[in-house]
Amino acid sequence: MESPQRIKSRARLSPERLVKESQRTSGWGGMLYIIPAFIILIVFEVWPLLFGAWISLWKWNIGPIEFIGLQNYKTMFGDGFVTRDFKGDLVIGEVLNSLLVTVNYVIIAVPSSILIGFVIAYMLFRGSRGEGVLRTMYFLPYITASVAVTMVFAWMFDAHVGVVNALLESIGISPQKWLLEPTPALKLLFGLSWLPDWAAGPSQALVVIIIYSVWASTGFNIVIYLSGLSGISKEVLEAAKLDGAGEWQVMTTIIWPLISPTTFFLLITSTIAAFQVFSPVFALTRKSGTGAASAGAPLDTTLTITVFIYRYFYERSNAVGYAAAVSMLLFGILLVLTLVQFKVGSRRVHYQ
Amino acid sequence: MNLKTSRRTLAKSAAFGVLSTTSFLKYAPAIMAQDSQLAVDYWHRYGGSRAETLNVLAEMFNEIHPEYKVSAISQGDIAESNQKLRAAAAGGGLPAAISADDYDITEYTAAGILTDLDPFVHDPELGFTDEEIAAFLPSQFDRHKLAIYGDRRMAFPQAFSAMSFWWNEDAIKAAGFDKPAETWTEFPDFLRKIVEANPGMTAWMEEDPGARFMSIMKTYGVEWLKDDGVTPNFDAPEALEILTWWKELYDEGLLQFTQSNKIEVFAAGQTAIMLHSSSAGPALAEQVKDFTYNGGLPPQGENTDTLRTETYGSLNAVPTNDEALTKAGWEWVKWLVSPEAFAVWIPASNYFPSRTDLLEIPEIAAFYDADPVALKLLQEVAPAATILSPSAALTEVRGTIVPTAIEEVMMGKYSPEEGVMKMQAESIAAVERAG
Amino acid sequence: MSAEQIRVSTPEVPSKLKLPQISTVLLVLGACVVVFPFVWMILGSFKTMQESSSYPPQVFPSQLRWENYQSAWQAPPNTLGRYFINTIIVAITGTVGQLVVCSLAAYAFAQLKFRGKDALFALVLGTMMIPGEITLIPNFMTIRHFPLMGGNDIFGSGGIGLYDSYAAQIIPGMVGAFNIFLLRQSFMQIPKDFWEAAQIDGSNSFRYLWEVVIPMSKPIMITVFLLGLVGRWNALLWPLIVTRDETLRPVQLAMIWYQGEFSTDQGVVMAASLLVTIPIVILFLIMQRHFIEGIVGSGLKG
C-alpha cells in the first residue's frame, strides 16, 4: 500500500478531479456497504420494535389472549398517569411515577457525570504529575462495569454492614439506610416536609444508583473531553492569561464555550443511555429468593421506566401488551427528546 | 465419567471451532444427542453445590435409562429462569421438564404450556403404585392439584422447605426463657426482654416484609385469599392485628428491615431470632461460631386449631411437548421422587422429602442422625407446611402491594387501619387484572 | 489570581505552578475515591464470610486466603477457564465482525454519496432509542427460527436454529449505532483529496477503504474494538437466554456457580469477580494509548 502522504501529494495534481468525484456520487453503489449492517439492524432492532408495537395492541400473557386495540394506551395515559388511591384521592399513577423517577435520575446523573468529567479532563489537560496513571484510574470503572462490580456497591452501601456507613459514623454522621430509604434526599437534608414526595427529587436509594452511574460513566466522558481539549490551541490559553484572566475564568469563559460541541455530543448520547438505565437498578434493588420484592424498591422510588417495563413484562399476569405500550412511549419520548436537543443544540452550540 | 470426557471433547472442538467459520456456525448442540438417545433438558434455578448434585442425579438416571440423555441446566435465579422459559414458550423449544416456583406454575398453567400429570400418575405402566402415592405427604403431592386448574395436577415437588423459626439459645436464656414464644401474642414481650438482656442486639430483622406479613397471616390461620379463592382477605381482623404490633415493634426499633443477608446477621450475633427457611441449617452450621442455636415451628395465632407455616421451594413440572418428550420428562420427574434420588438429594439439599417412607434409607437416616435440628424440623415443621393461596396476582400482591403498604405504615404515612385498607383495595384490583 | 500579579511577575510562572499543584492534589484524591471499590473488592476477596459481614467493617483480612481464588476457579463445571475460552471466542469474533460490518457502513456514510443517505443514517441513530427489554423475546424467536441452521428448514422450523451456539451470542449485537457513528466521524476527517489520488491509481472504492481509510483510522478502530470487547465481556442476560450448554456460556454466567441458596461466600464471589475483570483491565492497559488516540482522532471535538 502507498503511504497516504504520497497519495495526497498526487491528488493535488489531479486534472480529473471533478469527473472522479461524480463517480463516487453516482447512485446506489454506497448502498452495498450498508447492507450487512442494515440486515442485522432490521432483523434484531427494527423488527422487534414493530413486533412490540403489534403486541401493544393485545392483551398478551405468555402468548396472545385478545386483541384490544388501543386499550393499553388508554390505560397507560389514564390510570398510568393519574389514578385514585384506596381513599379515593387523586394520586400519581405508576407510569408517571416511573417517568418522574427516570427524569430525576437523568437530570442528576447526566449533568453530574458530564461536569465532573469536564473538570477532571480540564485538570488533566492543564498538566498534572502522573497524568497517564490518573487517566487510567479514572477510566477503569467504565471498562469493568458489570453485575459483579455492582455487587461491591451493594455491599459498600449496605445499611447494616456497609463501609460507607462506617466512614460516615467515624466523622459523626449517623448511619443511613441508603438502598432501603425511600425518603427523598432533599427532605433528608433540609427537612422540607411540606414538599410532596414527587417534587422533592430522588430518594436516597436512587441517589446510590446515581452515584454508581456517575462512577461508572465519568471515565468515558473524561476521555472524550480530553480529545476535545487537545484540539484547543495553546495560544488561545496563553492569550487569555496575558489579558489577565484567572484559571477559573479561562475554564468557564473560554474553554467551556469552545468545548461545547463535545458537551453537546455527550449530552445527547448520555441522555439516551440514561433514559434506558436498567442494570444498576436491577442489580442494586432486587432481592432474590422466594416471593421477594422485585426491582424498583423501596416504594418504587427507583422504578425507572425500563425496570417498570421489565416488571410488567415478566412479573405481572396478562401485562405483556401493557409493557409493550410503555416501551413505545419510552421510544417516542427518546425520539422527541433527541430531536429537540438537536434543534436547540444546533442553535446554541459554539462551533470552532 | 463419560459425561466429563464428552464435555472435554466438546471444549476442544469448540476451541477449534472458532478457526473455521462454518464449523463454528454449525457448532450447535448436542440437542440431537448421539445415537438414538433422546435429549431431555431439565431447566432448574439452582446454583452452586445443588446444581452439581443435580448433574450427579442426571448421570444416575442416564445410566438406568440409556434411551435418554438428561441434562440438568442451570438457568440462573428465579427471575432469569422465568425470562428464559417465557422466551422458549414464545419462540419454541420448551424443555422436557422444569423446576419452578408455585407462582410460576400458576402462570404457566394459565398460559397452557404445562402438561396435566394425573394421567401419568395413574398410568398402570408409567405411574406410581398405590403404596407410593400413600407415602407422599398429601399437602405436598397435591400442592398443585387445584380447583383453579380444573382439578388437574400441574406439578409436584421433589422436596421442599418451609418457613421456620430460628433462635439464638444463649440470647433467649440470658433473657430468662427456656423456649421461644409460641404465639404471636407473647412475641412482642419476648423480643423486648431479649433486647433488654442482650444490649446492642437487634431483636428481629426482615429482608422481605411483604412475604413475611403474608406468611404470618397464614400462621394466624388466615389465608390471603378467602375461601372463594378470589377475594383478598386483608380486611380480616388478624391482618390489622399483625400490622398493629409490627408498627409498635418497628417504632421501638425491635423490628428492622434490612437488605443484608439475614443468616449472616444472625450468625454474627446481631439478631436473636430469625424467620427463615428450614433449609438454612447447613449455612447456619457453617457460619455460627460462638453461640448455640435451635429451630422449630414459627409462633402461631392465639386461636388456631391447626399448626401452620408456609411451604417454600420449587416444584417439578412437565411442559407441553411432543409425546415422546413429554413422556421422557415425566419419567425424569418421577424418578426424582424415587428412594435412590432422595438418598442423594436430601443430604445434599437439606430439604424435606415429599415422601414419608424414607427414614430407613441409610443415607437419609445417617443425615438426620447427624443433624438433630434437621430431624426436629422434619417432624415439627414439614407436616404443617402449606402454600399461600395460589393466584396469578400473587407476585404483585406479595412483591409490591403488601410491602409498599407496610413500608408506608412503618414510616407513619398511614395508620395500620389505612394500611390494611390499602392492601385490600389494591389486591382486589390486582386479582381482577390478573384474572 | 489577579491581573495585578500577572503584571508584576512573569505571566507564565505562577499560573503554571499553581494550578497543577492544586489539581494534582484534587486529582489524586478523586482517583482514590474512584479506585476505592476495586480496593474493597481486592481486600474482600481474601476475607472469610464472617470477616465480610462484620460491623464496623474489618478493613484487612486476617490472612491472605488464596484458597478463595482456588474455589472461585474450580466452582463452575470444567473450571472458570472453560468460561473464559467461551467469552474470548464470543468477544473476539463478535467484535471483529462488528468492526467489519460497522466500518463498511460508516465508510459509506462518511465518504460515499448515495440516495437516501441522510434518512438511512437517521434510521441507524434511531435504533439507539429502542428499549432493550422489548427486543429480548422477538430476538430469541429469530434465533430459534433462523432458517437453515441447527436443523431448521428454509422457513425456520423443524430444528433449533442458532439456539445454543456461539453465533447466537455473537450476531445480534454485531451492529451498534454508536460504533457506526464513531467510525463515521473519524472517516470524515480523511481529506477528500486522498480519494482522488487513489482514483488515479485505479483504485475502486472498496480498495480505497481497505488500503487507505482503514490503515489511517487504526486508533479509532482500536477504540471501537475495545468498547465492543468490554460490552461483550460484561454481557449477561442475552447469553443466558440463548444458551443451554454450560460449555458454551461466557464468564458472567459462571457467577451462578458461586451462589448458595441463602448465603453466598462473599470472599469467593469477590475473587471470582476479580478474575473475571482482570483480563479486560490488562487488555485496556495494553491498548490504552491507541484508545485515547482513537477518541482524539475521531473528530468528536466537533
Side-chain angles (χ1 to χ4, degrees):
Chain A
M1 174 217 122
E2 290 182 87
S3 78
Q5 281 72 19
R6 234 180 100 199
I7 298 175
K8 196 174 176 182
S9 65
R10 242 187 276 161
R12 296 214 178 82
L13 304 171
S14 165
E16 298 152 298
R17 201 162 159 165
L18 290 170
V19 183
K20 295 295 176 188
E21 180 75 14
S22 72
Q23 278 180 4
R24 204 160 49 118
T25 62
S26 68
W28 302 94
M31 284 283 202
L32 280 177
Y33 290 89
I34 61 170
I35 282 175
F38 264 75
I39 290 177
I40 294 177
L41 280 181
I42 285 168
V43 171
F44 292 106
E45 297 282 352
V46 179
W47 146 248
L49 182 73
L50 298 176
F51 189 71
W54 172 239
I55 286 182
S56 74
L57 304 176
W58 285 74
K59 183 175 181 184
W60 191 291
N61 194 18
I62 287 172
I65 297 173
E66 192 190 347
F67 187 85
I68 52 170
L70 294 175
Q71 189 56 50
N72 285 324
Y73 290 90
K74 278 185 200 153
T75 315
M76 178 170 79
F77 288 116
D79 278 356
F81 273 71
V82 179
T83 186
R84 287 185 186 279
D85 70 358
F86 67 104
K87 291 195 242 170
D89 298 339
L90 284 177
V91 287
I92 287 179
E94 288 186 293
V95 176
L96 184 55
N97 169 61
S98 281
L99 286 173
L100 288 170
V101 168
T102 311
V103 167
N104 267 323
Y105 172 84
V106 172
I107 61 174
I108 299 175
V110 170
S112 312
S113 84
I114 288 179
L115 278 178
I116 297 173
F118 171 70
V119 171
I120 294 175
Y122 181 74
M123 291 196 289
L124 287 170
F125 168 69
R126 292 291 288 131
S128 155
R129 225 166 278 202
E131 184 202 337
V133 178
L134 286 169
R135 199 176 54 193
T136 308
M137 286 164 90
Y138 282 114
F139 198 69
L140 271 185
Y142 183 76
I143 51 170
T144 54
S146 63
V147 174
V149 175
T150 326
M151 294 335 286
V152 185
F153 266 76
W155 183 29
M156 284 166 48
F157 282 95
D158 189 290
H160 291 100
V161 300
V163 65
V164 177
N165 269 347
L167 289 172
L168 287 183
E169 279 193 279
S170 71
I171 55 168
I173 299 172
S174 60
Q176 303 293 308
K177 283 160 71 186
W178 299 117
L179 288 162
L180 297 174
E181 181 60 71
T183 314
L186 283 179
K187 288 194 175 181
L188 289 173
L189 285 172
F190 307 115
L192 304 177
S193 51
W194 47 272
L195 211 59
D197 276 3
W198 60 265
S203 69
Q204 197 178 58
L206 191 60
V207 169
V208 176
I209 290 162
I210 292 172
I211 291 173
Y212 171 81
S213 301
V214 171
W215 178 79
S217 63
T218 301
F220 185 73
N221 297 350
I222 293 173
V223 173
I224 301 277
Y225 269 123
L226 279 175
S227 120
L229 289 167
S230 70
I232 291 173
S233 70
K234 300 268 176 194
E235 291 96 70
V236 176
L237 286 175
E238 295 315 323
K241 289 269 171 53
L242 287 171
D243 288 350
E247 278 296 342
W248 178 254
Q249 264 179 301
V250 171
M251 188 172 97
T252 52
T253 59
I254 298 175
I255 304 295
W256 180 251
L258 281 177
I259 205 85
S260 59
T262 307
T263 308
F264 180 57
F265 164 80
L266 286 176
L267 196 64
I268 288 187
T269 51
S270 316
T271 306
I272 294 175
F275 255 94
Q276 300 184 59
V277 59
F278 180 79
S279 307
V281 184
F282 198 68
L284 287 172
T285 66
R286 185 178 54 131
K287 298 168 201 162
S288 54
T290 306
S294 49
L299 296 188
D300 291 352
T301 58
T302 64
L303 188 69
T304 56
I305 199 82
T306 49
V307 178
F308 178 95
I309 293 167
Y310 177 91
R311 180 187 280 185
Y312 275 76
F313 221 110
Y314 295 106
E315 296 174 352
R316 292 281 185 276
S317 227
N318 301 333
V320 172
Y322 190 57
V326 179
S327 306
M328 295 303 128
L329 175 68
L330 174 59
F331 179 67
I333 290 174
L334 286 174
L335 219 52
V336 170
L337 204 71
T338 309
L339 288 177
V340 169
Q341 280 182 325
F342 263 110
K343 276 252 156 22
V344 175
S346 53
R347 241 185 293 139
R348 296 236 174 116
V349 169
H350 170 102
Y351 283 99
Q352 274 175 268
Chain B
M1 276 299 105
N2 261 341
L3 190 76
K4 279 216 167 140
T5 5
S6 75
R7 279 203 167 172
R8 215 165 289 143
T9 333
L10 274 181
K12 270 186 207 151
S13 69
F16 289 124
V18 71
L19 298 173
S20 104
T21 324
T22 40
S23 74
F24 138 78
L25 274 175
K26 278 187 197 152
Y27 176 66
I31 257 196
M32 331 294 180
Q34 301 101 338
D35 313 318
S36 57
Q37 277 185 328
L38 181 63
V40 180
D41 278 8
Y42 173 58
W43 289 2
H44 62 80
R45 54 166 185 78
Y46 296 106
S49 65
R50 291 205 171 111
E52 282 161 30
T53 309
L54 282 171
N55 288 344
V56 172
L57 288 174
E59 279 181 56
M60 286 167 66
F61 179 82
N62 291 337
E63 253 167 56
I64 310 169
H65 292 273
E67 71 275 28
Y68 297 134
K69 185 173 185 307
V70 170
S71 316
I73 300 162
S74 179
Q75 301 294 17
D77 64 16
I78 293 174
E80 288 159 353
S81 52
N82 185 28
Q83 280 174 61
K84 172 119 190 186
L85 199 87
R86 281 165 180 260
L94 286 167
I98 57 167
S99 155
D101 273 34
D102 291 283
Y103 167 76
D104 297 323
I105 299 290
T106 309
E107 274 286 276
Y108 302 156
T109 304
I113 58 170
L114 294 184
T115 311
D116 178 10
L117 298 177
D118 255 343
F120 284 114
V121 165
H122 300 296
D123 187 284
E125 233 177 278
L126 296 170
F128 291 116
T129 64
D130 290 347
E131 295 83 62
E132 280 174 317
I133 291 176
F136 280 108
L137 274 168
S139 55
Q140 294 302 322
F141 191 52
D142 299 335
R143 194 159 134 190
H144 278 271
K145 184 180 169 69
L146 297 169
I148 54 166
Y149 307 154
D151 212 34
R152 291 175 299 162
R153 184 188 306 274
M154 308 316 293
F156 57 82
Q158 178 190 18
F160 65 104
S161 57
M163 178 176 77
S164 306
F165 195 47
W166 297 93
W167 62 90
N168 179 328
E169 291 268 25
D170 299 3
I172 76 160
K173 282 215 177 88
F177 296 102
D178 53 356
K179 61 183 172 55
E182 282 170 357
T183 67
W184 294 116
T185 324
E186 306 161 23
F187 186 70
D189 275 335
F190 169 71
L191 291 189
R192 288 182 187 110
K193 290 212 174 96
I194 290 178
V195 173
E196 249 166 57
N198 302 277
M201 192 176 245
T202 304
W204 183 20
M205 283 199 195
E206 275 307 336
E207 290 167 298
D208 199 350
R212 188 62 60 229
F213 184 84
M214 288 167 76
S215 42
I216 289 183
M217 273 177 75
K218 179 186 267 294
T219 61
Y220 268 75
V222 184
E223 296 298 332
W224 78 274
L225 284 180
K226 296 185 198 296
D227 288 342
D228 64 4
V230 288
T231 316
N233 219 355
F234 298 108
D235 55 359
E238 288 86 350
L240 177 58
E241 191 184 324
I242 298 167
L243 200 53
T244 308
W245 64 256
W246 271 37
K247 170 72 174 157
E248 282 169 19
L249 290 180
Y250 189 88
D251 288 347
E252 291 169 46
L254 295 173
L255 166 60
Q256 288 184 12
F257 298 141
T258 174
Q259 90 265 36
S260 343
N261 186 304
K262 283 198 298 187
I263 294 185
E264 284 169 17
V265 170
F266 179 81
Q270 293 166 14
T271 58
I273 62 121
M274 167 172 83
L275 283 159
H276 209 308
S277 168
S278 53
S279 58
L284 286 174
E286 196 190 317
Q287 292 182 48
V288 174
K289 298 281 184 247
D290 20 80
F291 59 89
T292 51
Y293 63 91
N294 206 341
L297 192 72
Q300 303 283 307
E302 195 64 49
N303 307 313
T304 47
D305 38 358
T306 336
L307 299 176
R308 287 185 177 86
T309 189
E310 185 189 339
T311 288
Y312 299 143
S314 57
L315 306 101
N316 290 322
V318 177
T320 317
N321 274 305
D322 66 42
E323 205 180 315
L325 207 53
T326 310
K327 175 167 170 275
W330 161 258
E331 292 204 56
W332 162 247
V333 302
K334 183 197 168 201
W335 182 80
L336 282 177
V337 291
S338 69
E340 309 86 83
F342 276 122
V344 175
W345 185 242
I346 297 304
S349 68
N350 189 37
Y351 285 146
F352 301 134
S354 56
R355 282 167 67 158
T356 53
D357 58 344
L358 301 168
L359 285 177
E360 312 294 300
I361 296 173
E363 290 88 344
I364 295 178
F367 169 72
Y368 283 114
D369 275 349
D371 189 345
V373 180
L375 184 64
K376 178 169 178 254
L377 293 176
L378 178 70
Q379 287 157 349
E380 277 181 30
V381 176
T386 53
I387 58 172
L388 294 182
S389 318
S391 161
L394 180 58
T395 298
E396 183 174 359
V397 172
R398 181 172 56 184
T400 309
I401 294 174
V402 176
T404 301
I406 292 172
E407 192 133 15
E408 285 165 339
V409 170
M410 298 305 148
M411 289 168 63
K413 186 175 172 195
Y414 295 123
S415 68
E417 290 78 7
E418 288 172 316
V420 290
M421 266 172 67
K422 184 165 188 259
M423 288 180 197
Q424 182 71 0
E426 293 186 354
S427 303
I428 289 172
V431 171
E432 236 165 64
R433 272 198 302 278
Chain C
M1 69 172 49
S2 70
E4 244 167 304
Q5 265 177 302
I6 294 178
R7 272 189 223 111
V8 289
S9 60
T10 47
E12 285 221 340
V13 175
S15 70
K16 276 270 162 171
L17 265 181
K18 206 174 173 189
L19 179 86
Q21 277 169 350
I22 303 168
S23 67
T24 304
V25 172
L26 287 176
L27 285 171
V28 169
L29 280 178
C32 289
V33 174
V34 167
V35 174
F36 182 78
F38 296 111
V39 174
W40 201 241
M41 204 165 158
I42 294 168
L43 290 171
S45 72
F46 293 108
K47 289 180 186 169
T48 62
M49 247 158 149
Q50 282 75 19
E51 285 167 356
S52 47
S53 63
S54 63
Y55 191 87
Q58 185 177 336
V59 176
F60 295 101
S62 54
Q63 62 180 92
L64 292 181
R65 271 177 209 79
W66 291 105
E67 56 268 33
N68 283 350
Y69 285 83
Q70 204 180 343
S71 319
W73 185 261
Q74 282 167 352
N78 307 309
T79 76
L80 195 58
R82 175 68 249 184
Y83 296 78
F84 270 115
I85 294 172
N86 296 332
T87 292
I88 290 167
I89 291 172
V90 168
I92 291 184
T93 12
T95 312
V96 169
Q98 172 180 4
L99 219 44
V100 172
V101 174
C102 292
S103 306
L104 286 174
Y107 171 59
F109 285 128
Q111 297 266 334
L112 304 180
K113 286 183 184 164
F114 53 93
R115 228 159 290 169
K117 181 166 118 171
D118 291 345
L120 289 170
F121 188 62
L123 186 69
V124 169
L125 292 185
T127 60
M128 278 170 75
M129 291 150 215
I130 299 174
E133 291 66 38
I134 197 88
T135 63
L136 206 61
I137 287 182
N139 282 349
F140 176 82
M141 292 164 71
T142 305
I143 288 298
R144 185 90 200 174
H145 296 294
F146 212 87
L148 303 177
M149 285 291 169
N152 274 351
D153 57 24
I154 187 121
F155 303 108
S157 51
I160 57 162
L162 292 177
Y163 177 63
D164 209 29
S165 66
Y166 288 127
Q169 299 175 56
I170 292 167
I171 294 173
M174 208 136 93
V175 181
F178 188 64
N179 293 316
I180 294 182
F181 178 80
L182 276 183
L183 288 167
R184 171 181 169 269
Q185 286 293 105
S186 179
F187 291 172
M188 283 184 354
Q189 314 285 307
I190 297 172
K192 305 260 178 199
D193 301 0
F194 284 30
W195 162 252
E196 287 131 29
Q199 287 271 290
I200 298 167
D201 289 355
S203 185
N204 61 23
S205 61
F206 183 76
R207 265 189 61 196
Y208 176 67
L209 166 67
W210 186 246
E211 292 178 353
V212 180
V213 175
I214 290 186
M216 284 186 74
S217 310
K218 223 189 248 160
I220 190 70
M221 303 292 276
I222 289 175
T223 303
V224 170
F225 182 79
L226 198 67
L227 292 177
L229 211 62
V230 167
R232 284 183 180 73
W233 198 274
N234 296 331
L236 176 77
L237 194 55
W238 179 248
L240 178 78
I241 299 273
V242 294
T243 57
R244 62 181 277 284
D245 192 335
E246 286 293 334
T247 59
L248 280 172
R249 290 182 163 182
V251 276
Q252 299 291 341
L253 293 189
M255 292 293 161
I256 291 172
W257 297 89
Y258 308 112
Q259 293 157 3
E261 188 186 12
F262 303 119
S263 53
T264 302
D265 193 330
Q266 194 79 272
V268 177
V269 173
M270 290 298 136
S273 304
L274 272 173
L275 288 175
V276 167
T277 309
I278 284 169
I280 199 90
V281 171
I282 292 175
L283 198 76
F284 172 71
L285 292 179
I286 295 169
M287 289 185 166
Q288 71 159 324
R289 199 170 53 83
H290 302 286
F291 177 80
I292 309 278
E293 260 178 58
I295 297 276
V296 171
S298 71
L300 286 179
K301 52 186 174 274

